[in-house]
């Protein structure tokens, strides 16, 4: 089947097998290897990407289902050398150890904060419960999500002040 999908701001048109998973399309066809293959059963969340600005586990989405959509991967977040505020917060709060789950955690956090810009610790834990980490114990991930929320709120306030 022929699909057209925008990934990290670039439009791609490709012929794909109808059963090709989005995670494999991103990694194998487009070289977006930051989207990690974890469990292939949608349990771990390592493959989380944004599909039309909503987090999805790309191992549970067919590439043909993304036809006409916009996909954002962890590689598409930074602007030049400037990390996305969520990436920066994860780095500064040491919210990773092995790093395997980190791309999915970051993408799920972005979606969470788009829905809830000022989450409590409990809100973060609930919002990220579909993403598993086997190393960190989650405390620094929660701290990073809360820090990122503050950064994003400050960026929004600054942008609104400039607009006036």
């Amino acid at each position: 089947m022929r699909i057209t999908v925008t990934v990290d701001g670039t439009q791609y048109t490709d012929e794909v097998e109808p059963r090709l998973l989005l995670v494999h399309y991103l990694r194998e066809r487009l070289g977006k290897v930051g989207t990690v293959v974890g469990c292939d059963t949608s349990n771990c969340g390592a493959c989380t990407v944004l599909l039309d600005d909503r987090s999805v586990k790309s191992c549970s989405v067919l590439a043909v289902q993304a036809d006409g959509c916009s996909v954002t991967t962890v590689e598409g977040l930074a602007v030049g050398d400037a990390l996305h505020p969520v990436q920066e917060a994860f780095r500064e709060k040491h919210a990773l150890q092995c790093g395997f789950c980190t791309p999915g955690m970051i993408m799920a956090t972005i979606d969470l904060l788009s829905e809830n810009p000022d989450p409590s610790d409990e809100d973060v834990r609930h919002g990220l419960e579909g993403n598993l980490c086997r190393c960190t114990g989650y405390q620094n991930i929660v701290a990073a999500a809360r820090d990122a929320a503050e950064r994003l709120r400050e960026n929004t306030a600054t942008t609104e002040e400039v607009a006036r």
Side-chain angles (χ1 to χ4, degrees):
M1 295 185 69
R2 185 175 205 75
I3 64 168
T4 300
V5 62
T6 301
V7 179
D8 297 336
T10 301
Q11 189 175 70
Y12 300 89
T13 300
D14 286 302
E15 290 290 328
V16 298
E17 288 290 323
R19 64 181 180 225
L20 179 67
L21 293 172
L22 181 58
V23 67
H24 296 299
Y25 175 72
L26 294 171
R27 290 178 59 82
E28 296 162 14
R29 288 278 185 92
L30 304 184
K32 302 292 184 173
V33 295
T35 303
V36 179
V37 177
C39 63
D40 273 335
T41 60
S42 76
N43 288 318
C44 75
C47 66
T48 302
V49 298
L50 300 180
L51 180 65
D52 288 339
D53 296 323
R54 300 302 317 200
S55 64
V56 298
K57 295 175 181 176
S58 61
C59 74
S60 66
V61 175
L62 297 170
V64 296
Q65 291 175 290
D67 184 33
C69 296
S70 176
V71 176
T72 305
T73 70
V74 72
E75 290 100 335
L77 296 177
V79 179
D81 289 337
L83 294 177
H84 184 280
V86 175
Q87 291 173 307
E88 188 66 26
F90 267 67
R91 184 183 68 79
E92 287 186 11
K93 295 295 181 182
H94 308 286
L96 59 107
Q97 283 183 15
C98 81
F100 194 79
C101 71
T102 305
M105 286 284 187
I106 287 171
M107 302 310 287
T109 298
I110 290 170
D111 187 29
L112 166 68
L113 298 179
S114 74
E115 292 291 313
N116 184 352
D118 191 13
S120 66
D121 286 3
E122 183 178 329
D123 294 335
V124 172
R125 289 181 185 281
H126 179 71
L128 299 180
E129 68 187 1
N131 290 71
L132 301 178
C133 176
R134 291 170 177 85
C135 302
T136 67
Y138 298 96
Q139 193 57 37
N140 288 353
I141 292 170
V142 172
R146 301 271 317 270
D147 183 67
E150 185 176 331
R151 291 168 191 255
L152 290 168
R153 287 192 310 273
E154 287 172 0
N155 286 349
T156 301
T158 302
T159 302
E160 289 172 359
E161 286 177 19
V162 169
R164 288 186 221 158

